[in-house]
């Protein structure tokens, strides 16, 4: 059996086990997802009020509404919370127990990521559906399936990109005792540059060149922009190409740093 097939089988079983375990906290998922959509809804109301008051913005009410209604879903679907936990396992020597097992420790974190997102979707989708219905007259809803398919592909690529960035940051723990500052710094920078706080279209004009091509845009903002309807055909293709490029680059760098760390790893039982 090839390593890939074995890891996929392990991933399927571990994801099922994680779902069974995490299902105990059904009430917690509802609370988490309420918190997840609260800030986008508040931001939506603020920007709609600004537009209604005559504010001159480079985006219209339809774009603002579509953007913030989808924002909670996209941020959840592309999120990763692995860096701190993986760094702790490396620092405390827990990685040693996985080095003699047939599957990588990373499979565990992938399974946890998938299982939690599936459970969160159960709670989040109805909430977003209600918000969507309330603001349906101001929403941009693509008529054909093509745009939705690109949206789904972009979300998948964004999730992989965020996950590989987490691996890269956590792998620094092979050489540093504490990477919590790096984890926090990444979270703060990503919240601004991904478009989670403010749509990137509202960033200052002098920053647009950098903002458009930096990697964090392709973790949140770009998938939302596909549905919001602000991208032309060539811009969509170029954006997906850049997104794929970032996935390949960060995956390659994260893999190289991870393997280098494994070779230098020294802990009890290693």
């Amino acid at each position: 059996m090839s390593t890939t097939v074995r890891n996929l089988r392990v991933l399927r079983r571990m994801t099922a086990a994680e779902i069974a375990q995490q299902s105990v906290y059904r009430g917690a998922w509802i609370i988490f997802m309420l918190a997840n959509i609260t800030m986008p809804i508040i931001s939506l109301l603020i920007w709609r009020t600004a537009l209604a008051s005559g504010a001159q913005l480079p985006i219209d009410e339809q774009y603002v509404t579509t953007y913030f209604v989808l924002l909670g879903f996209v941020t959840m679907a592309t999120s990763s919370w692995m860096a701190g936990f993986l760094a702790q396992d490396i620092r405390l020597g827990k990685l040693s127990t996985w080095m003699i097992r047939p599957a990588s420790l990373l499979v565990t974190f992938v399974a946890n990521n998938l299982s939690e997102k599936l459970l969160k979707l159960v709670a989040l989708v109805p909430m977003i559906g209600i918000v969507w219905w309330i603001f349906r007259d101001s929403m941009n809803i693509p008529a054909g399936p093509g745009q939705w398919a690109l949206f789904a592909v972009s979300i998948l690529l964004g999730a992989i990109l965020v996950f590989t960035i987490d691996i890269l940051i956590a792998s620094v723990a092979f050489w540093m005792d504490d990477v919590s500052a790096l984890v926090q710094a990444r979270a703060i920078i990503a919240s601004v540059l991904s478009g989670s706080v403010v749509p990137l279209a509202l960033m200052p004009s002098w920053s647009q060149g950098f903002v458009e091509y930096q990697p964090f845009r392709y973790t949140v903002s770009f998938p939302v922009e596909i549905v919001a309807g602000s991208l032309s055909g060539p811009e969509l293709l170029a954006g997906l190409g850049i997104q794929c490029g970032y996935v390949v680059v960060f995956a390659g760098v994260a893999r190289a740093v991870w393997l280098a760390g494994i070779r230098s790893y020294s802990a009890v039982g290693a």
Side-chain angles (χ1 to χ4, degrees), residues 201-217:
L202 296 176
M203 298 293 279
S205 58
W206 55 263
S207 69
Q208 286 300 320
F210 165 73
V211 166
E212 183 177 356
Y213 294 105
Q214 49 84 26
F216 293 108
R217 177 199 176 199

Side-chain angles (χ1 to χ4, degrees), residues 219-254:
T219 63
V220 175
S221 181
F222 181 70
V224 180
E225 291 170 28
I226 292 176
V227 176
S230 65
L231 301 175
S232 64
E235 288 174 332
L236 276 173
L237 295 178
L240 287 172
I242 294 172
Q243 193 176 30
C244 288
Y246 273 127
V247 169
V248 171
V249 169
F250 276 97
V253 174

Side-chain angles (χ1 to χ4, degrees), residues 6-268:
R6 183 180 65 226
N7 282 335
L8 288 175
R9 288 187 176 182
V10 172
L11 176 61
R12 177 176 60 83
R13 293 174 181 175
M14 294 188 72
T15 301
E18 286 279 349
I19 290 175
Q21 179 181 353
Q22 298 296 335
S23 295
V24 176
Y25 307 103
R26 294 183 294 273
W29 297 132
I30 295 176
I31 296 174
F32 289 156
M33 292 304 96
L34 278 172
N36 190 70
I37 66 171
T38 297
M39 286 307 299
I41 291 175
I42 292 174
S43 297
L44 169 61
L45 295 176
I46 291 173
W47 288 109
R48 281 173 62 95
T49 300
L51 286 168
S53 301
Q56 299 299 314
L57 300 178
I59 52 179
D60 57 19
E61 184 181 73
Q62 189 177 47
Y63 181 95
V64 167
T65 305
T66 306
Y67 189 96
F68 283 109
V69 169
L70 290 176
L71 185 60
F73 171 78
V74 175
T75 52
M76 184 280 295
T78 61
S79 62
S80 174
W81 45 90
M82 175 194 67
F85 295 104
L86 179 55
Q88 184 179 37
D89 285 350
I90 294 171
R91 181 171 59 84
L92 297 179
K94 294 182 180 180
L95 192 62
S96 303
T97 60
W98 283 93
M99 296 179 72
I100 58 174
R101 297 186 182 186
S104 169
L105 171 64
L106 298 181
V107 176
T108 303
F109 287 104
V110 174
N112 175 264
N113 191 281
L114 290 175
S115 62
E116 288 202 16
K117 286 178 179 178
L118 289 173
L119 290 171
K120 288 175 180 178
L121 280 175
V122 175
L124 183 61
V125 169
M127 298 178 190
I128 293 178
I130 293 173
V131 178
W132 190 306
W133 177 258
I134 294 173
F135 295 101
R136 63 190 182 279
D137 292 335
S138 301
M139 292 287 295
N140 179 39
I141 304 176
Q147 212 163 346
W148 288 112
L150 291 176
F151 175 65
V153 170
S154 185
I155 286 179
L156 176 60
L157 291 173
I160 296 173
L161 178 56
V162 174
F163 194 79
T164 54
I165 292 174
D166 261 15
I167 294 175
L168 179 59
I169 294 174
S171 297
V172 178
F174 284 114
W175 299 278
M176 292 177 59
D177 290 335
D178 187 6
V179 299
S180 58
L182 291 176
V183 175
Q184 187 65 26
R186 195 273 293 177
I188 294 173
I189 294 171
S191 65
V192 176
L193 294 183
S194 69
S196 297
V197 177
V198 177
L200 297 184
L202 296 176
M203 298 293 279
S205 58
W206 55 263
S207 69
Q208 286 300 320
F210 165 73
V211 166
E212 183 177 356
Y213 294 105
Q214 49 84 26
F216 293 108
R217 177 199 176 199
Y218 297 91
T219 63
V220 175
S221 181
F222 181 70
V224 180
E225 291 170 28
I226 292 176
V227 176
S230 65
L231 301 175
S232 64
E235 288 174 332
L236 276 173
L237 295 178
L240 287 172
I242 294 172
Q243 193 176 30
C244 288
Y246 273 127
V247 169
V248 171
V249 169
F250 276 97
V253 174
R255 175 178 170 80
V257 175
W258 173 262
L259 292 177
I262 290 292
R263 288 193 294 269
S264 66
Y265 179 66
S266 178
V268 177

